[in-house]
Amino acid sequence: MLMKLSSLLQALIPSWNSAYLLLGFFAYLSIAGSIVLGKLVPGVVLADGTRLHYRCNGLVLLLLLVALLGISAKMDFVSPTAISERGFELLSTTFIFSFLVTLALYFAGCKSQSKSSSLKPHITGNLIHDWWFGIQLNPQYMGIDLKFLFVRAGMMGWLLINLSILAKSIQDGTLSKSMILFQIFCALYILDYFVHEEYMTSTWDIIAERLGFMLVFGDLVWIPFTFSIQGWWLLANEVELTTTTIIANCLVFLIGYMVFRGANKQKHVFKKNPKGPIWGKPPKVIGGKLLASGYWGIARHCNYLGDLLLALSFSLPCGISSPVPYFYPIYLLILLIWRERRDESRCAKKYKEIWTEYRKLVPWRILPFVY
């Protein structure tokens, strides 16, 4: 036991190689993200009447990065298993990076004299609170929106970790149907995210959450390293799936995707065009503000249901012999129930009697007839 603990602690020690990998990754995202062409999407109107604009070129950046890494691996410039062989090193290195970045954000925010909604400092005087939740809404560095950069980095990092795990399983001769299914589901989800990257500009994290350790850690550490746990687990465990199990798993993924993407698209379209049709019909709107048509007429947070089904589909290829691969969907269930309660409280204060009317019309929170 002590030997295993000692080996784990040893593996967690950051290395310069891991630091170079991480810094190279961010250098690529920062430079390429600024020069590669992409759709310029206006963000929501902020409290002071201004709005940011986002260059949504994430899909091109991702495909270009994977292509460059593939060519480099073919020419023996990099090892395709570099990430999977340095998993714990990269985890600790990224954690330290997140900590240092948020300290810099804290001090820069405290010194800011800006009055704009994006950069105006929100200081409570509680150092831990301000560092954790952040001081500024949309801090920038050399013209780069850091919040948008970190969200993008987390999603791309998740795919890169998965691909390195896939390369490791091929190298070790342990590639299985379970691993292939897991890889396909995650890759489709991540690619879809970047195809619809502009939808991210109207999410709560982008428009309302300040950039502190909570968001930075979530984007850079939590998403890529915990969402890939199933892949790590499948490297060390063999799972045989029947044809029926594979079909059932695919159905869970497809239903989850349909609900998740459909709900988010409806909300995004509604924000851009409140009179646009939903499922071929004029939208039903409560108080001129709240959409009560389509998926949003079925449950008040129906997008969370889609997210949960997708998370479950990522874990089902691992079978049911261990709870470890189900860490992500279990965590997500707890998080989304907490977030749903927080959303309900905020909406009740913001919309008052309009929210009460919406709750009467749409009584279910996430899963109709259950919750």
Side-chain angles (χ1 to χ4, degrees), residues 225-328:
F225 289 98
T226 65
F227 289 15
S228 57
I229 283 177
Q230 301 93 323
W232 296 106
W233 190 86
L234 285 170
L235 271 181
N237 297 272
E238 186 176 344
V239 178
E240 290 296 328
L241 297 178
T242 65
T243 301
T244 303
T245 304
I246 293 174
I247 293 173
N249 201 165
C250 289
L251 286 174
V252 173
F253 175 81
L254 290 173
I255 294 171
Y257 174 78
M258 180 179 67
V259 175
F260 172 77
R261 178 51 61 212
N264 284 322
K265 184 176 181 179
Q266 286 176 356
K267 177 180 276 190
H268 181 78
V269 170
F270 175 72
K271 287 181 178 180
K272 299 292 184 182
N273 178 19
K275 295 183 179 180
I278 301 292
W279 287 347
K281 299 178 180 179
K284 185 170 186 177
V285 183
I286 307 298
K289 296 180 179 180
L290 300 177
L291 177 64
S293 291
Y295 289 106
W296 302 96
I298 297 173
R300 300 195 296 274
H301 306 276
C302 50
N303 55 327
Y304 291 171
L305 174 61
D307 223 349
L308 288 168
L309 289 174
L310 285 169
L312 181 61
S313 75
F314 300 156
S315 298
L316 287 175
C318 300
I320 56 173
S321 63
S322 170
V324 172
Y326 289 86
F327 173 83
Y328 172 36

Side-chain angles (χ1 to χ4, degrees), residues 27-292:
Y28 167 81
L29 288 182
S30 301
I31 296 171
S34 300
I35 61 178
V36 172
L37 296 178
K39 183 179 179 181
L40 201 61
V41 178
V44 300
V45 178
L46 300 176
D48 60 357
T50 63
R51 67 196 310 169
L52 301 176
H53 288 76
Y54 301 90
R55 189 184 300 276
C56 293
N57 53 9
L59 181 62
V60 177
L61 295 185
L62 177 60
L63 296 177
L64 180 60
L65 177 58
V66 172
L68 289 173
L69 290 174
I71 294 170
S72 299
K74 191 72 174 177
M75 300 176 69
D76 292 328
F77 290 156
V78 298
S79 169
T81 60
I83 296 175
S84 57
E85 291 172 350
R86 294 182 174 85
F88 285 114
E89 280 183 32
L90 279 167
L91 172 62
S92 58
T93 303
T94 308
F95 178 84
I96 293 170
F97 177 80
S98 301
F99 179 78
L100 294 177
V101 164
T102 49
L103 277 184
L105 287 172
Y106 172 80
F107 289 116
C110 288
K111 294 179 180 179
S112 175
Q113 301 296 319
S114 177
K115 300 298 182 182
S116 70
S117 294
S118 291
L119 300 176
K120 180 181 178 180
H122 297 264
I123 303 174
T124 67
N126 184 322
L127 187 151
I128 299 299
H129 178 279
D130 292 340
W131 167 73
W132 180 267
F133 290 105
I135 291 178
Q136 294 176 301
L137 182 63
N138 298 106
Q140 297 184 357
Y141 179 71
M142 297 179 66
I144 299 171
D145 187 289
L146 295 180
K147 187 188 290 186
F148 203 60
L149 173 70
F150 292 155
V151 172
R152 178 178 281 179
M155 295 299 291
M156 290 191 187
W158 178 16
L159 181 62
L160 294 181
I161 290 174
N162 282 353
L163 291 178
S164 187
I165 290 172
L166 176 62
K168 180 68 174 174
S169 69
I170 294 173
Q171 177 181 286
D172 294 346
T174 60
L175 183 63
S176 63
K177 293 178 183 178
S178 298
M179 178 65 81
I180 294 171
L181 206 60
F182 164 72
Q183 293 285 345
I184 290 174
F185 289 160
C186 290
L188 288 174
Y189 179 83
I190 295 167
L191 287 172
D192 175 79
Y193 171 89
F194 285 107
V195 168
H196 300 95
E197 188 177 30
E198 67 176 276
Y199 293 176
M200 188 65 194
T201 63
S202 59
T203 60
W204 181 263
D205 284 355
I206 293 293
I207 66 177
E209 295 281 14
R210 295 188 293 275
L211 188 62
F213 185 77
M214 181 181 73
L215 278 189
V216 175
F217 173 82
D219 289 337
L220 302 186
V221 180
W222 194 259
I223 288 177
F225 289 98
T226 65
F227 289 15
S228 57
I229 283 177
Q230 301 93 323
W232 296 106
W233 190 86
L234 285 170
L235 271 181
N237 297 272
E238 186 176 344
V239 178
E240 290 296 328
L241 297 178
T242 65
T243 301
T244 303
T245 304
I246 293 174
I247 293 173
N249 201 165
C250 289
L251 286 174
V252 173
F253 175 81
L254 290 173
I255 294 171
Y257 174 78
M258 180 179 67
V259 175
F260 172 77
R261 178 51 61 212
N264 284 322
K265 184 176 181 179
Q266 286 176 356
K267 177 180 276 190
H268 181 78
V269 170
F270 175 72
K271 287 181 178 180
K272 299 292 184 182
N273 178 19
K275 295 183 179 180
I278 301 292
W279 287 347
K281 299 178 180 179
K284 185 170 186 177
V285 183
I286 307 298
K289 296 180 179 180
L290 300 177
L291 177 64

